[in-house]
Amino acid sequence: VFTGKANCPYYAKAELLADYLQANLPDFRVHKITQHPDKWEQWLHDICEMNGWEHRGSPIIWRELLDHGGKGLLLGGINDFLDYAQYYYGITSMMLSEEMLDIAEENLQAHIEIEKEKEEIKSLIKPLQIWITSASAPICYQLIPLLANGEVFGATTEISIHLLDSDQFKEVLCGIVMEAEDMAFPLLCGISEHTELEEAFIQADIVIVLDDVLLNHEVQSLENCIREVSEICQVYAPLIEKNAKSEVKVISSGKTFVNLKAVMIMTYGPSIKPENVIAVATSWESAAKAMLARKLNMNAAGVKDVIVWGNITGCNYIDLSHAKLYGYDCAIWGPANFPHPLLNMIYDSEWIHSEFLSAQSSLSSRICHCMGMLPAHAVATVLRYWYHGSPPEEIVSVGILTKGQFCIPEGIVFSMPVKFQNGNWEVMTELEINETTQEVLGRLAHELIQEKLIALKEIKEIHLNGAD
């Protein structure tokens, strides 16, 4: 290994002799490390300290004992290498001082150009900046490998992850950072922990809001929980507006108030594009599909187009009227892409109206008590669809800001069927819904309207009290 200052004439002499030896000896291999003169002293100090060597000046030459393991064997400087080459191979260098100086000058210019080219290439590689709030939550721990393995954003898209939480969780965040670094994901450019709000969401492409306010009627009222959610969003939204990129995508997830978090971020961050803020309902979809698959004794992957309407982590309605089964073993056979209407295959209609629909409370319990794997997969799935499109003709349930679709009042975040295409989503308004479903949607919308009104009222009272 030959390393030295780019403008060092002795380094030039050593590397040319090394090139000659490599060209004429079958087992002689050379590795060169050229350093800019401004960085040489620090680099030399670090390499010597790491290997326990004593050496001053340029160049420094050693043998890497790759076949034996362990650190390299220090040979020394230019004179030591000349003696080594003369003793072992009977070869030396007759290069004149003037020639050495010319080559050293060429080396410096070449090094500067190479480093400049590297910086230009590096500047073209702009990793996605992903910020995760409440990052000490178990879902974040499960989510990081899914984001970093290349399946969500693509096998060539690099990412940087920023973990945000309060100072009391700093040690937890540091542990997550170290573990993620040790996994050495090729696409993970960097991962960092943050506890200062002022530096939150800088240059963010994606913000994943995981903050939960757990509702416990014995401890605090619904109004107080809603107030707490609003206060969190009132802090986050202006920071996202100020620090994040203009096209930032905001995902609301977690176990509680995901619809409310999304609508409050839009309320307190009016410059954030409403179409770029969504609430994730995929956990409910997955859990419902798994329950139906167990009933039908089939693979859950074959259950499609289950729709989750309404308040994702509150009162919602799981609609099976458009659900289909693929690969279901029954009397009617067809090609792999042939669908069976789910309701036609479940002959026990009493089970649907009693056990399944009433089981939504048990589904809610399963989702709320999960350790993070299910919601992490839900977030990763929605992000993959958002960037690469959802499967053609397949329904995905997402909480979005309403604009009168399906006769739902405007201005609330309501879970409804969408499809992702070309980096955007589109509500599937062509779906027909019956009168019964329409009545249910009206009741669900009323609950979300009241939730939003309570949030705005609580914040208004805080401002009035503060003014007094």
Side-chain angles (χ1 to χ4, degrees):
V1 179
F2 294 79
T3 181
K5 290 190 294 184
N7 63 344
C8 174
Y10 299 110
Y11 174 60
K13 187 173 185 176
E15 68 164 343
L16 285 179
L17 177 56
D19 289 341
Y20 178 84
L21 293 174
Q22 181 171 244
N24 290 277
L25 298 172
D27 297 321
F28 192 91
R29 296 290 177 266
V30 174
H31 177 65
K32 302 175 189 176
I33 305 174
T34 306
Q35 294 293 332
H36 192 279
D38 295 342
K39 299 180 179 179
W40 169 252
E41 293 297 335
Q42 184 61 49
W43 189 90
L44 179 64
H45 173 270
D46 293 342
I47 196 71
C48 288
E49 184 175 347
M50 181 176 67
N51 290 282
W53 294 336
E54 288 287 340
H55 185 81
R56 296 179 181 178
S58 170
I60 179 173
I61 304 165
W62 70 88
R63 288 182 59 200
E64 284 285 5
L65 306 179
L66 298 179
D67 52 341
H68 300 295
K71 64 182 182 180
L73 175 65
L74 178 65
L75 297 181
I78 180 63
N79 292 330
D80 300 293
F81 178 59
L82 291 175
D83 292 342
Y84 177 88
Q86 179 70 49
Y87 180 80
Y88 279 95
Y89 309 117
I91 298 172
T92 189
S93 173
M94 303 301 293
M95 185 183 294
L96 300 176
S97 299
E98 185 177 346
E99 187 179 3
M100 290 165 52
L101 291 171
D102 290 341
I103 295 175
E105 185 177 347
E106 291 176 5
N107 281 348
L108 178 60
Q109 293 303 317
H111 177 76
I112 292 172
E113 290 176 8
I114 291 171
E115 290 300 309
K116 183 179 178 181
E117 185 177 342
K118 287 180 180 179
E119 288 298 321
E120 288 176 353
I121 294 173
K122 188 177 179 181
S123 68
L124 296 176
I125 302 173
K126 297 180 179 179
L128 282 175
Q129 303 294 327
I130 303 170
W131 284 78
I132 305 175
T133 71
S134 194
S136 63
I139 175 177
C140 178
Y141 186 81
Q142 303 284 349
L143 179 59
I144 289 172
L146 299 179
L147 297 178
N149 66 13
E151 294 182 7
V152 174
F153 303 107
T156 60
T157 303
E158 298 184 341
I159 65 172
S160 290
I161 297 177
H162 307 270
L163 309 179
L164 178 66
D165 214 321
S166 59
D167 192 59
Q168 69 183 100
F169 295 108
K170 185 175 179 62
E171 188 173 340
V172 175
L173 299 185
C174 290
I176 296 174
V177 167
M178 285 190 291
E179 192 164 350
E181 289 175 339
D182 290 344
M183 293 182 76
F185 292 106
L187 297 175
L188 184 59
C189 287
I191 181 168
S192 56
E193 78 282 350
H194 303 267
T195 56
E196 298 294 333
L197 281 172
E198 292 75 14
E199 61 187 33
F201 314 126
I202 292 177
Q203 291 297 300
D205 293 290
I206 299 167
V207 174
I208 302 171
V209 181
L210 301 181
D211 298 72
D212 274 324
V213 176
L214 300 181
L215 179 58
N216 187 338
H217 291 292
E218 296 179 1
V219 177
Q220 58 180 335
S221 65
L222 174 63
E223 288 77 12
N224 286 337
C225 290
I226 290 175
R227 173 188 292 178
E228 192 172 336
V229 172
S230 296
E231 290 173 349
I232 291 171
C233 296
Q234 198 174 16
V235 172
Y236 286 164
L239 287 170
I240 294 173
E241 284 187 304
K242 176 184 175 184
N243 295 336
K245 294 178 182 175
S246 60
E247 295 292 329
V248 62
K249 290 176 169 61
V250 181
I251 290 184
S252 174
S253 184
K255 299 180 179 180
T256 58
F257 298 106
V258 295
N259 294 57
L260 182 62
K261 285 186 292 188
V263 76
M264 287 294 100
I265 285 173
M266 295 183 220
T267 301
Y268 297 120
S271 69
I272 302 171
K273 295 184 178 180
E275 63 270 23
N276 284 357
V277 182
I278 64 174
V280 176
T282 322
S283 296
W284 278 89
E285 274 188 20
S286 299
K289 289 175 181 178
M291 185 175 182
L292 292 164
R294 287 193 294 270
K295 173 67 176 178
L296 295 164
N297 193 28
M298 65 175 291
N299 191 321
V303 184
K304 305 290 185 182
D305 298 346
V306 174
I307 303 174
V308 179
W309 296 94
N311 192 351
I312 297 165
T313 49
C315 291
N316 58 49
Y317 172 59
I318 299 179
D319 182 3
L320 304 181
S321 61
H322 299 276
K324 303 178 186 68
L325 304 177
Y326 292 84
Y328 180 55
D329 187 9
C330 64
I332 302 174
W333 284 76
N337 61 347
F338 177 74
H340 295 283
L342 182 142
L343 292 177
N344 291 351
M345 297 296 105
I346 298 182
Y347 303 106
D348 186 1
S349 60
E350 182 63 27
W351 178 85
I352 295 175
H353 295 289
S354 59
E355 289 189 44
F356 180 75
L357 293 180
S358 65
Q360 290 193 34
S361 59
S362 74
L363 285 178
S364 176
S365 178
R366 290 170 70 99
I367 292 170
C368 287
H369 289 89
C370 68
M371 296 304 294
M373 194 183 303
L374 176 60
H377 178 264
V379 171
T381 299
V382 168
L383 277 171
R384 185 173 72 251
Y385 289 167
W386 209 342
Y387 276 82
H388 300 289
S390 53
E393 306 305 322
E394 190 169 316
I395 296 173
V396 182
S397 300
V398 168
I400 53 101
L401 186 67
T402 55
K403 295 183 178 179
Q405 306 96 329
F406 303 106
C407 299
I408 300 169
E410 296 184 18
I412 56 175
V413 169
F414 196 94
S415 180
M416 61 180 70
V418 307
K419 60 182 176 182
F420 288 89
Q421 191 174 359
N422 299 323
N424 301 301
W425 51 261
E426 180 183 347
V427 179
M428 302 180 72
T429 52
E430 68 275 12
L431 294 179
E432 296 182 2
I433 57 175
N434 56 41
E435 292 183 7
T436 303
T437 300
Q438 191 67 64
E439 291 178 7
V440 173
L441 300 190
R443 292 197 298 270
L444 297 176
H446 178 74
E447 179 196 66
L448 285 166
I449 291 170
Q450 293 304 309
E451 195 173 83
K452 181 180 177 181
L453 289 174
I454 292 172
L456 295 175
K457 178 184 176 183
E458 293 292 338
I459 294 298
K460 186 176 180 180
E461 289 180 357
I462 292 173
H463 286 167
L464 290 174
N465 292 335
D468 292 342

